[in-house]
Amino acid sequence: MEFATLSNGLRMPMLGYGVFQIDDATAERCVADALDAGYRLIDTAQGYGNERGVGAAIAQSGVAREDVFLVDKVWISNYGEGKAYDSLKASLELLGTDHIDLMLLHQPFGDYYGAWRDLERACEEGLVRAIGVSNFDPVRLLDLCTFAEVAPMVNQVEIHAFRQQDAAIENMRALGVQPMAWGPFAEGMNNFFQNPLLAEVGAAHGKTVGQTALRFLMDKGVVAIPKTVRRERMAENFDVFDFELTDKDVARIRTLDSADFTCYDHTDTKLIGGLLGFIKSTM
Ligand SMILES: NC(=O)c1ccc[n+]([C@@H]2O[C@H](COP(=O)([O-])OP(=O)(O)OC[C@H]3O[C@@H](n4cnc5c(N)ncnc54)[C@H](OP(=O)(O)O)[C@@H]3O)[C@@H](O)[C@H]2O)c1
């Protein structure tokens, strides 16, 4: 395994396994399979509704808790000082663990400053080992890094071959924030797995489109958390530590970057307005 070192010195695996859009029971089976396949970073969220299954799988896996890097995220409806802390305690209960390795704020909306102060407190108390954010654009990240007592250590955003986010990554690096990619396969959109250029580059190394895409991200210094419910694909996506992309490969993959393509547009006021309206109605 390759590791990133966070600004507080914590080591984080460069490759992990994500459990978005998987229910509790499926998450329990999938996380058990993923740990068996060798993954040691698991990415869940309060909003995924599967923390119990994730925690049960880790507890029953036979892998020492210390060897698993567990990532969780506070959902927007739990933001606000005091409320985020209580939600984190509830997450620990569901996960059946005494600490979370990395806790993120899932989205940059609502009272994220209040929630951030709770994460700082939880970090100080040892309930979490590192804290960070997700989906923060460069300016919002700069804002939090400037005014928070403890700056975020990680920013998890959409990064993949079709949306390479060079400027955002550069901004993270300048702020000492580790980039982490959600949707490393663009969630399969835009015929990701049939992409001829990725297929050709990968074939020259005896590797698949998915493996090539993950190697590209890790070589950029980006932590990746692919999701699959299939055991054979878990093994395939983990088999990325025995080859190197050439400069020419990287230059070719860089041509796939698109200013237009995104799996989820955080600047779309209609889309985000709908999400926030729904969340407010549940609070
Ligand atoms: N912070 C955020 O806002 C946010 C947003 C989205 C995701 N995430 C995190 O990032 C993780 C990954 O992102 P994601 O789940 O959205 O998308 P993704 O990992 O880019 O893509 C998942 C899709 O690829 C398919 N797949 C996986 N490996 C494959 C392979 N080797 N060959 C062919 N198809 C393959 C999966 O299908 P099968 O399952 O059928 O194999 C699934 O349809 C999530 O699980 C979650 O932990 C975070």
Side-chain angles (χ1 to χ4, degrees), residues 17-22 42-45 48 73 75 104-107 134-135 156-158 160 181-189 192-193 208-211 225-230 232-234 236-237 263-264 266:
Y17 175 74
V19 293
F20 183 37
Q21 293 172 322
I22 302 180
I42 307 296
D43 180 84
T44 183
Y48 300 170
K73 312 182 195 81
W75 187 234
L104 306 175
L105 297 184
H106 205 145
Q107 296 284 355
S134 179
N135 298 306
Q156 184 185 116
V157 297
E158 178 185 347
H160 45 73
W182 68 252
F185 301 144
E187 301 187 334
M189 289 180 197
F192 191 89
F193 293 101
T208 64
V209 164
Q211 290 167 335
I225 44 167
K227 169 258 165 186
T228 174
V229 294
R230 304 196 205 183
E232 69 279 10
R233 287 181 177 171
M234 291 177 197
E236 175 190 329
N237 298 342
C263 296
Y264 192 86
H266 278 82

Side-chain angles (χ1 to χ4, degrees), residues 11-48:
R11 267 163 45 103
M12 173 180 190
M14 289 296 294
L15 183 67
Y17 175 74
V19 293
F20 183 37
Q21 293 172 322
I22 302 180
D23 65 33
D24 235 350
T26 313
E28 186 168 345
R29 192 269 297 164
C30 285
V31 171
D33 285 348
L35 291 169
D36 198 39
Y39 293 84
R40 291 295 179 268
L41 182 159
I42 307 296
D43 180 84
T44 183
Q46 292 174 347
Y48 300 170

